[in-house]
Amino acid sequence: YGRFIDDVRLYVKGGTGGMGYPRLGGEGGRGGDVWLVARERTTLKSLKDRYPQKRFVAGTGANSSVKALKGEKGKDCEVHVPLGISVLREDGKQIGELNAAGERFLAARGGLGGSLATNFLPCKGQRRIVRLDLKLVADVGLVGFPNAGKSSLLSKISHAKPEIADYAFTTIQPELGKIMYADYKQILVADLPGLIEGAHANRGMGHKFLKHVERTRQLLLVVDISGFQLSAKTEFRTAFQTILLLTKELELYKEELLTKPALLAINKMDLPCAKDNLKELKEQLQKPQDFVHLLPKEMIPTNTPEFKDIIPVSTYTGEGIEELKACVRKSIDEEADQGNEEYRKKKLMLLQS
């Protein structure tokens, strides 16, 4: 899985409170807290490299004294984490999320200082093990089987330089790229490693890849017009079957993924017979129910896929690349306008009520 890290376990402990002062009724300072703070240009790898022990303990509260009956609070401990982090307990239950720069999450609370209520004895801080699970935040997520040309497409539409080769699973870690437009608009695109049949059941590290689709606003399915075959031992799948299988994998992993707006890029249009294959594929996509029998029953998705646009492209010749960038921009802008309209309606309803 390369040097990319998207899962880290941390030990966090709030500071112990300070001692109270029984003779004068003084209160000890509260122990410091451990905070997770979302920060740009931070990675879980840099966090792990900087703190190999992965242990974070906040400061102890000051004892109460004649000079200061109310002890000072212990020093807080801040842990900088990347955007798109889910915070999970040891049992796997999610307890928080950090998606925007500056967002904070209280990972471990400091203990109370000694006071009359605690017989002037301090309390220990909260301690626990938390798991940080990274899911990339991007506008568009590229989804496809290995060797569909996702990395080549990302290199054509953005300034990213992913590894490109003529064998399956070239992309072994998610890659991020930015589409830059003439009016300085930027759209963030995530290239995810290729899925395989059974990815929903964690085959081929499926869950490690599929979870990064969750925080993308839209999906861009990339399909090889000539079809796909992983190896000599696996069945050959046509472009239409590939689209259905990708849809089924997303559906089995998390049904909400299919509610995201989706575009379809038909790649490798420079190949012989590509135009005939494209014509056949478009006919199949217009009436998918007439052709689903081409797959075994368990591989047929509950809902047949619907795409906002279908764009034939060739990363080799550059055909359709500008059209694809324009379609991505249009789709993102439409979604933003729809979100703004919903927000305005909610505000208006609140004002009316």
Side-chain angles (χ1 to χ4, degrees):
Y1 200 39
R3 292 167 57 81
F4 182 75
I5 295 172
D6 58 2
D7 195 323
V8 166
R9 290 171 80 245
L10 306 178
Y11 172 82
V12 290
K13 181 178 181 295
T16 305
M19 289 288 291
Y21 202 113
R23 191 158 60 86
L24 299 176
E27 286 187 16
R30 186 187 180 121
D33 304 318
V34 180
W35 291 89
L36 303 178
V37 184
R39 199 173 182 181
E40 291 178 343
R41 297 192 182 90
T42 303
T43 63
L44 290 181
K45 186 180 183 307
S46 64
L47 173 68
K48 196 174 178 182
D49 290 345
R50 192 172 178 188
Y51 305 100
Q53 300 294 324
K54 295 176 288 181
R55 182 183 174 89
F56 300 91
V57 180
T60 304
N63 295 333
S64 174
S65 64
V66 176
K67 291 181 181 179
L69 288 178
K70 176 72 175 175
E72 285 188 11
K73 185 178 184 291
K75 189 178 179 183
D76 287 348
C77 174
E78 289 192 352
V79 185
H80 294 143
V81 298
L83 313 185
I85 284 287
S86 294
V87 187
L88 296 93
R89 290 194 319 213
E90 225 176 344
D91 60 3
K93 185 180 179 183
Q94 184 172 318
I95 52 176
E97 269 191 354
L98 296 164
N99 292 323
E103 283 188 2
R104 297 163 66 85
F105 175 77
L106 182 60
R109 193 182 295 277
L112 294 171
S115 63
L116 185 63
T118 63
N119 202 20
F120 298 99
L121 296 173
C123 298
K124 290 184 176 179
Q126 183 184 15
R127 59 178 179 178
R128 59 182 173 184
I129 288 172
V130 295
R131 203 176 94 226
L132 306 184
D133 197 24
L134 174 68
K135 295 171 186 173
L136 293 179
V137 178
D139 298 308
V140 180
L142 301 182
V143 179
F145 282 145
N147 244 12
K150 300 186 301 301
S151 298
S152 301
L153 187 62
L154 182 69
S155 68
K156 288 287 183 183
I157 62 176
S158 74
H159 297 298
K161 299 290 181 226
E163 186 180 343
I164 299 167
D166 60 353
Y167 53 83
F169 299 111
T170 316
T171 306
I172 57 171
Q173 64 186 44
E175 292 274 355
L176 283 174
K178 278 182 185 175
I179 307 179
M180 310 287 284
Y181 293 91
D183 60 352
Y184 302 106
K185 167 87 172 177
Q186 297 180 8
I187 291 177
L188 197 61
V189 182
D191 172 23
L192 309 175
L195 302 177
I196 61 170
E197 290 176 37
H200 70 277
N202 217 14
R203 279 190 63 200
M205 301 184 87
H207 285 190
K208 272 190 172 286
F209 302 161
L210 279 164
K211 72 176 184 179
H212 292 296
V213 185
E214 291 183 47
R215 283 212 178 99
T216 55
R217 290 164 60 189
Q218 300 196 1
L219 303 179
L220 175 58
L221 269 67
V222 184
V223 173
D224 186 337
I225 189 61
S226 61
F228 170 72
Q229 186 173 21
L230 183 62
S231 68
K233 295 179 182 177
T234 59
E235 282 190 56
F236 173 79
R237 303 295 185 193
T238 64
F240 177 69
Q241 290 175 321
T242 302
I243 292 166
L244 291 184
L245 284 168
L246 284 170
T247 308
K248 186 66 175 177
E249 291 301 330
L250 294 172
E251 180 187 278
L252 289 171
Y253 176 70
K254 194 168 275 191
E255 278 190 51
E256 298 90 76
L257 295 179
L258 296 182
T259 62
K260 294 177 185 286
L263 301 170
L264 175 64
I266 310 294
N267 194 19
K268 306 189 182 179
M269 288 302 297
D270 53 284
L271 295 176
C273 301
K275 289 185 178 177
D276 293 337
N277 290 347
L278 179 63
K279 186 182 176 183
E280 183 186 353
L281 176 60
K282 283 186 173 179
E283 288 172 3
Q284 291 171 326
L285 288 172
Q286 280 175 356
K287 295 182 178 178
Q289 297 299 339
D290 296 344
F291 300 95
V292 289
H293 64 273
L294 298 171
L295 279 171
K297 194 174 181 181
E298 66 275 7
M299 292 184 178
I300 299 169
T302 310
N303 297 309
T304 49
E306 290 184 15
F307 301 103
K308 295 180 78 173
D309 277 301
I310 299 173
I311 312 102
V313 299
S314 168
T315 54
Y316 182 71
T317 63
E319 175 194 340
I321 297 297
E322 291 303 316
E323 186 190 344
L324 176 63
K325 288 165 72 173
C327 286
V328 170
R329 169 75 183 267
K330 182 186 170 191
S331 182
I332 291 288
D333 288 347
E334 282 175 357
E335 188 194 358
D337 291 342
Q338 189 179 345
N340 291 337
E341 186 60 33
E342 287 174 5
Y343 177 76
R344 280 196 293 270
K345 283 179 181 176
K346 282 182 183 177
K347 281 284 185 184
L348 189 61
M349 285 176 68
L350 283 169
L351 287 168
Q352 286 171 346
S353 61

